[in-house]
Amino acid sequence: MRVIRVGTRKSQLARIQTDSVVATLKALYPGLQFDIIAMSTTGDKILDTALSKIGEKSLFTKELEHALEKNEVDLVVHSLKDLPTVLPPGFTIGAICKRENPCDAVVFHPRFVGKTLETLPEKSVVGTSSLRRAAQLQRKFPHLEFKSIRGNLNTRLRKLDEQQEFSAIILAAAGLQRMGWQNRVGQILHPEECMYAVGQGALGVEVRAKDQDILDLVGILHDPETLLCCIAERAFLRHLEGGCSVPVAVHTAMKDGQLYLTGGVWSLDGSDSMQETMQATIAVPAQHEDGPEDDPQLVGITAQNIPRVAQLAAENLGISLANLLLNKGAKNILDVARQLNDAH
């Protein structure tokens, strides 16, 4: 029996996400054996520093890519939002699975269950490891204080429940859902309150770019609508040159062949911001086979079974929206945010 080796981070959430992808692959390919290999990444080891301060784009991916490069694993399952918009040479995202709820969720300390961010007492401390969340929510809820909280989901929930420091923490709804912790969600933050991170809620399968055999194997997992939304989002972020050291957020929706992309940038404290929405006509395709392309990658993604024209339209939408914001002065907001973040 041929063995396919699947790399993953060691955290419980990463394992659950990888198990779900492997279960789908097993059902599609009953003649193959899938072995899961778990490893720790830099981001899992450095827990006393805010993510945005570590200044490393591939915090949660580098060790896994190293294993991919050395042929120790054949594919790696990631949260798509952890994957930089420019991947190291030789790698590509061979599949983007159907997205779960991309929104952020609020989990409250037991003594504040039943509250919302709006009704929390003055000067309550809210934990988040994301500049994007803190910038947007500070602007919306000036009576609250936002403080960095690190660690995997289990660690963060334990810090919330056992220490008196935080009144609430903000996490991705999708992660809580996958862990089976929906009962802890006290409030879902809709995009008008807090737009989400690029790729949030979707899983990406990273493979060696030249490994056509594995690309064919995982390509079937592509969800066309999620793929096109995430191409637009990643193109927007890449063109803005945003990373996790600046507050950039998005919201995408597909309706009647139109892809709507809203993107925004914020200063670190949320006082300065800029957001715009654009749309493009994109027919969500039935999957079909295209001929091979010379350079099939778009924003690090290879999807040979989705029409190229739809992918290019999505990429173009992201670039156009980024240009619109840059022409209105977004670069200044991002540069200041970056400098302030580096200085702190």
Side-chain angles (χ1 to χ4, degrees):
M1 215 181 200
R2 185 177 167 201
V3 177
I4 306 291
R5 299 150 308 163
V6 182
T8 175
R9 282 167 64 194
K10 278 184 172 162
S11 77
Q12 188 185 352
L13 177 60
R15 290 302 307 261
I16 287 171
Q17 292 179 165
T18 302
D19 289 347
S20 76
V21 170
V22 167
T24 307
L25 287 170
K26 274 183 177 163
L28 289 165
Y29 304 107
L32 297 178
Q33 182 184 326
F34 293 88
D35 287 355
I36 296 174
I37 297 163
M39 51 196 96
S40 290
T41 65
T42 311
D44 296 312
K45 292 170 191 156
I46 306 176
L47 291 176
D48 54 354
T49 312
L51 286 179
S52 56
K53 295 276 186 294
I54 303 171
E56 167 66 73
K57 272 215 173 80
S58 49
L59 272 181
F60 295 110
T61 57
K62 198 190 261 171
E63 284 78 0
L64 296 161
E65 283 170 345
H66 200 54
L68 205 48
E69 190 172 31
K70 294 199 305 202
N71 218 344
E72 292 166 1
V73 296
D74 302 300
L75 54 112
V76 177
V77 179
H78 301 279
S79 292
L80 185 61
K81 70 179 167 108
D82 291 340
L83 279 166
T85 54
V86 179
L87 296 185
F91 302 108
T92 189
I93 299 164
I96 294 180
C97 308
K98 190 169 172 56
R99 192 176 217 167
E100 297 250 6
N101 182 351
C103 294
D104 289 316
V106 189
V107 178
F108 292 91
H109 186 281
R111 72 178 184 276
F112 291 122
V113 165
K115 293 265 189 209
T116 62
L117 289 181
E118 206 157 355
T119 58
L120 276 178
E122 192 81 22
K123 297 262 184 286
S124 293
V125 176
V126 177
T128 171
S129 58
S130 151
L131 294 178
R132 168 190 64 79
R133 291 172 182 149
Q136 291 181 79
L137 295 172
Q138 247 168 324
R139 184 185 176 99
K140 199 103 183 150
F141 306 103
H143 70 293
L144 301 176
E145 290 179 6
F146 293 86
K147 196 174 165 194
S148 175
I149 183 170
R150 288 289 321 281
N152 59 39
L153 281 188
N154 311 54
T155 309
R156 289 190 220 182
L157 282 174
R158 198 168 55 246
K159 282 182 184 171
L160 171 70
D161 291 344
E162 293 175 7
Q163 300 168 9
Q164 299 307 309
E165 188 179 359
F166 297 102
S167 302
I169 57 176
I170 318 284
L171 301 163
L176 290 163
Q177 220 164 325
R178 291 186 185 118
M179 295 283 273
W181 291 341
Q182 295 92 323
N183 63 327
R184 290 300 311 261
V185 175
Q187 183 180 3
I188 292 281
L189 296 171
H190 298 291
E192 50 279 6
E193 297 170 292
C194 187
M195 290 202 291
Y196 42 83
V198 165
Q200 185 159 309
L203 300 180
V205 181
E206 190 178 18
V207 301
R208 290 179 289 274
K210 297 264 186 287
D211 196 339
Q212 192 55 51
D213 198 24
I214 298 290
L215 270 168
D216 291 342
L217 185 91
V218 301
I220 197 166
L221 298 173
H222 270 305
D223 176 68
E225 185 169 320
T226 304
L227 168 80
L228 295 170
C229 286
C230 290
I231 285 177
E233 293 173 15
R234 284 172 66 83
F236 171 72
L237 182 65
R238 179 196 271 190
H239 204 68
L240 280 178
E241 294 185 344
C244 66
S245 63
V246 287
V248 174
V250 292
H251 168 50
T252 42
M254 185 80 85
K255 206 173 169 198
D256 304 329
Q258 293 288 314
L259 178 55
Y260 298 86
L261 171 64
T262 302
V265 301
W266 285 262
S267 57
L268 288 190
D269 65 358
S271 59
D272 208 357
S273 79
M274 188 178 284
Q275 58 190 72
E276 291 288 347
T277 303
M278 288 179 86
Q279 68 193 80
T281 304
I282 297 178
V284 176
Q287 300 206 0
H288 82 157
E289 290 300 322
D290 264 350
E293 303 274 348
D294 287 343
D295 178 20
Q297 281 204 47
L298 286 184
V299 283
I301 300 162
T302 303
Q304 291 158 333
N305 51 350
I306 307 290
R308 185 79 176 165
V309 59
Q311 295 183 58
L312 287 168
E315 183 190 41
N316 199 32
L317 175 63
I319 293 169
S320 302
L321 184 64
N323 280 332
L324 177 63
L325 287 178
L326 288 169
N327 290 338
K328 293 182 125 187
K331 190 173 181 341
N332 190 37
I333 296 177
L334 292 174
D335 285 348
V336 171
R338 213 173 263 121
Q339 285 158 6
L340 276 175
N341 184 55
D342 291 346
H344 277 307

